[in-house]
Amino acid sequence: MTNTDVIFQGENPDESIIFVLRRHPWTLFKSGLIIVLLLLLLTAVFIKFQGSWVTSWAIFILGPISLYLALRAWFLWSNSIYVLTNQRLMAVDQRGWFDRKVGEIALADILKISHEVKGAGATMFNLGDVAIIASGATEADLTLSAVYDPYEVQQRIIRTKRGEGLTKKQEEKVDKPEEGPKDIVNED
C-alpha cells in the first residue's frame, strides 16, 4: 500500500507521499471470466468443426475480441490510481481509452470519510469503496473505488489529516526543522 518513491506531475516541493493505491485486482475478474468463456467457445468450435472455414472465422473474430477485452481491462486497472500525500488526496479514475476523471481534495477541506463493502465477493476479498465529502458538498466529492481494506484506507486518511500518518522522512523534518538564518547578536 505504501509507495513513497512515486513522483507525479504537480507535486509540491514540501509534499510527501503517504501511500499510493490501485483498485483491487479482483476487479479484473469479470473481464477475465468473459475472456475464458470466449476461449471455451473457440475450443468448442474447433472440436465441432475442426479445421474448417467456421473455425477460421471463429479464430478471426473471437481472438481479437479476447485480446481487446484483456488489454482494455488491464489499461483501466493500471491507470486508475489513488495518491494520499501530507497535503491532499488525489484520485485518477480511468473509465475508458479516452475517458479519465481526475479529482483532488485538500486534507484540510475533508469533512467526512466513509467506506462501504457491498456484496459477497467484496466481503470475502475485503474490498470496497471509500467516499470523501469535502466542505460545501452534499454528496461524495471523491470516491476511491474497489480498494483493498477500505477501513484501513479510511483510517490512514483520517490519521494523515490529523498529522499522525507521517512517513519517516516527514517525521525527521518535524523532529529536525531546517535551520534558517541566525540572528547576529552583538554581545559587548
Side-chain angles (χ1 to χ4, degrees):
M1 179 153 79
T2 304
N3 185 358
T4 57
D5 298 332
V6 174
I7 297 172
F8 60 91
Q9 189 176 16
E11 183 176 2
N12 298 326
D14 58 340
E15 192 169 28
S16 299
I17 294 175
I18 307 297
F19 69 67
V20 177
L21 291 175
R22 292 192 188 283
R23 290 181 178 163
H24 194 282
W26 178 252
T27 59
L28 298 171
F29 178 75
K30 183 179 175 182
S31 297
L33 184 62
I34 292 170
I35 292 166
V36 167
L37 291 175
L38 287 174
L39 294 176
L40 286 174
L41 177 63
L42 186 60
T43 304
V45 167
F46 182 74
I47 290 171
K48 172 111 172 120
F49 297 102
Q50 295 180 354
S52 72
W53 64 272
V54 174
T55 304
S56 298
W57 274 103
I59 292 171
F60 181 70
I61 293 170
L62 297 179
I65 290 173
S66 298
L67 182 62
Y68 171 79
L69 290 174
L71 289 175
R72 185 175 189 279
W74 176 82
F75 179 78
L76 297 181
W77 178 81
S78 67
N79 287 302
S80 293
I81 190 167
Y82 310 116
V83 180
L84 176 67
T85 71
N86 61 332
Q87 297 176 3
R88 58 189 166 161
L89 177 65
M90 294 165 286
V92 178
D93 187 16
Q94 191 74 37
R95 298 174 172 186
W97 292 110
F98 305 105
D99 184 10
R100 177 184 293 165
K101 181 180 178 183
V102 179
E104 129 180 4
I105 295 178
L107 292 181
D109 293 339
I110 294 176
L111 290 181
K112 181 180 175 185
I113 304 171
S114 61
H115 75 276
E116 178 181 28
V117 177
K118 189 175 183 179
T123 302
M124 284 190 314
F125 292 103
N126 193 18
L127 67 110
D129 300 338
V130 178
I132 294 108
I133 297 177
S135 57
T138 56
E139 59 184 50
D141 280 335
L142 204 59
T143 301
L144 312 182
S145 302
V147 295
Y148 176 72
D149 199 358
Y151 174 76
E152 178 59 29
V153 171
Q154 176 188 15
Q155 295 306 308
R156 288 283 302 268
I157 295 169
I158 291 169
R159 286 193 305 267
T160 303
K161 180 176 169 43
R162 291 181 189 154
E164 300 168 8
L166 302 176
T167 63
K168 288 184 181 182
K169 261 186 190 177
Q170 293 167 331
E171 287 173 1
E172 289 171 7
K173 283 183 182 178
V174 171
D175 293 340
K176 299 177 188 175
E178 293 179 19
E179 292 184 19
K182 296 185 179 187
D183 292 334
I184 300 174
V185 179
N186 209 354
E187 294 180 19
D188 289 322

